[in-house]
């Protein structure tokens, strides 16, 4: 039994260990490197004062890796945070409305975004707002809002109609306090576990868009852009591709392990809430 209980804890620790290098690189990297990355080296050169070699433009790959994490991870994390905020408010409000009409009014319009292919939306955004990370983040957030709203609405239904919520209504508590103070706290573990999984998917979507040339500027130090620009020299200068790829893989796997570690806690919280409601 103790071994089973320790598995989620090992996943959390494993995820944290994998997340630490890319997150630290994304946070500290821009502080220790210049915005103007020098390009005085030979294309796809190894050595000569460049620990990880150079890219096609003669830029130092180590500087690109240190500089590119802020956009590669920042855009995805900001998009997921916005999606959880907007989708969470819509889902909680729909669950607590106790009205089928209000429920449909809040959830059905955002469901129109569900069948839209993510790369198609990002490609349209890339044409209209070329190289704008804010536009890419908004597009990724909009694509995630419907799924977040539906998930948190389903998770919040029991808490919104349970005896605690009814007692708070009889005591004259405000709808906002019931919604965010009680219902929101009940679904917080579910939201955290879902966000951990969704961040990895968002990183993949943004990196894929940049790899296909649909996102940021082709000269950006973003990890996805660097991989796309150097892919033809994989066997000539492998670090130009492998270094940013390793950062993306570590972050994605770490985020998923962290989410898997949180899921059992979320299930336990839901089970306790359901038992209390019965």
């Amino acid at each position: 039994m103790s071994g089973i209980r320790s598995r989620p804890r090992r996943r959390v620790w494993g995820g944290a260990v994998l997340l630490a290098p890319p997150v630290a690189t994304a946070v500290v990297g821009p502080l220790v490197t210049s915005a103007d990355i020098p390009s005085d080296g030979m294309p796809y050169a190894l050595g000569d004062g460049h620990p990880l070699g150079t890219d096609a433009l003669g830029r130092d790959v180590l500087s690109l890796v240190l500089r590119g994490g802020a956009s590669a991870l920042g855009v995805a994390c900001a998009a997921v945070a916005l999606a959880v905020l907007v989708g969470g408010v819509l889902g909680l409000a729909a669950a607590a409305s106790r009205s089928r009409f209000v429920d449909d009014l809040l959830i059905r319009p955002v469901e129109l975004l569900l069948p839209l292919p993510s790369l198609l939306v990002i490609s349209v955004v890339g044409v209209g707002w070329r190289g704008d990370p804010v536009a890419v983040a908004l597009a990724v957030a909009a694509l995630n809002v419907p799924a977040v709203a539906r998930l948190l609405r389903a998770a919040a239904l029991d808490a919104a109609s349970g005896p605690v919520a009814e007692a708070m209504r009889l005591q004259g508590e405000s709808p906002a306090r019931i919604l965010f103070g009680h219902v929101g706290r009940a679904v917080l573990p579910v939201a955290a576990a879902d966000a951990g999984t969704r961040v990895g998917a968002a990183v993949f979507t943004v990196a894929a868009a940049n790899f296909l040339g649909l996102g940021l500027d082709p000269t950006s130090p973003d990890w996805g852009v660097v991989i796309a620009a150097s892919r033809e020299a994989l066997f000539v200068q492998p670090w130009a591709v492998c270094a940013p790829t390793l950062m993306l893989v570590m972050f994605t796997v770490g985020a998923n392990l962290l989410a898997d570690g949180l899921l059992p806690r979320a299930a336990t919280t839901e089970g306790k809430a359901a038992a209390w409601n019965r």
Side-chain angles (χ1 to χ4, degrees):
M1 182 65 70
S2 60
I4 296 176
R5 290 178 179 177
S6 64
R7 288 176 187 173
R9 184 176 300 175
R10 286 199 294 265
R11 291 194 185 103
V12 171
W13 279 107
V17 169
L18 287 175
L19 281 174
V23 170
T25 301
V27 173
V28 180
L31 302 178
V32 299
T33 56
S34 172
D36 298 323
I37 299 174
S39 57
D40 53 354
M42 294 295 293
Y44 298 130
L46 289 171
D48 296 331
H50 304 286
L52 298 181
T54 60
D55 70 344
L57 301 177
R59 298 178 298 178
D60 182 57
V61 171
L62 178 59
S63 299
L64 290 172
V65 171
L66 292 174
R67 193 77 194 175
S71 60
L73 304 186
V75 171
C77 292
V80 172
L82 182 60
V84 171
L85 178 62
V86 176
V89 171
L90 291 175
L92 294 180
S97 64
R98 307 174 72 186
S99 168
R100 184 67 178 179
F101 174 76
V102 175
D103 191 341
D104 289 341
L105 185 64
L106 292 172
I107 299 298
R108 300 309 173 198
V110 297
E111 288 182 341
L112 296 176
L113 298 172
L114 281 174
L116 296 180
S118 57
L119 290 181
L120 175 62
V121 174
I122 293 178
S123 65
V124 172
V125 172
V127 172
W129 295 273
R130 182 66 180 176
D132 189 352
V134 175
V136 176
L138 290 175
V140 176
L143 292 168
N144 281 275
V145 164
V148 173
R150 294 179 63 175
L151 174 67
L152 295 188
R153 172 190 171 276
L157 284 175
D158 284 344
S161 59
V164 176
E166 291 294 339
M168 294 178 71
R169 293 188 186 97
L170 293 175
Q171 292 174 0
E173 297 287 355
S174 66
R177 183 174 179 81
I178 298 173
L179 185 64
F180 298 107
H182 170 61
V183 181
R185 289 175 61 185
V187 303
L188 188 59
V190 179
D194 178 67
T197 304
R198 206 167 292 279
V199 164
V203 168
F204 172 79
T205 301
V206 174
N210 291 332
F211 182 85
L212 296 174
L214 304 176
L216 302 178
D217 187 88
T219 61
S220 168
D222 180 272
W223 292 341
V225 176
V226 173
I227 294 170
S230 304
R231 65 186 184 276
E232 72 275 4
L234 176 61
F235 298 104
V236 177
Q237 215 295 66
W239 283 114
V241 177
C242 294
T245 300
L246 181 62
M247 288 294 176
L248 288 174
V249 170
M250 290 178 67
F251 184 85
T252 304
V253 175
N256 279 281
L257 282 176
L258 197 62
D260 288 343
L262 293 174
L263 279 172
R265 300 182 184 183
T268 301
T269 302
E270 289 182 80
K272 291 180 180 179
W276 171 259
N277 289 339
R278 286 195 296 268

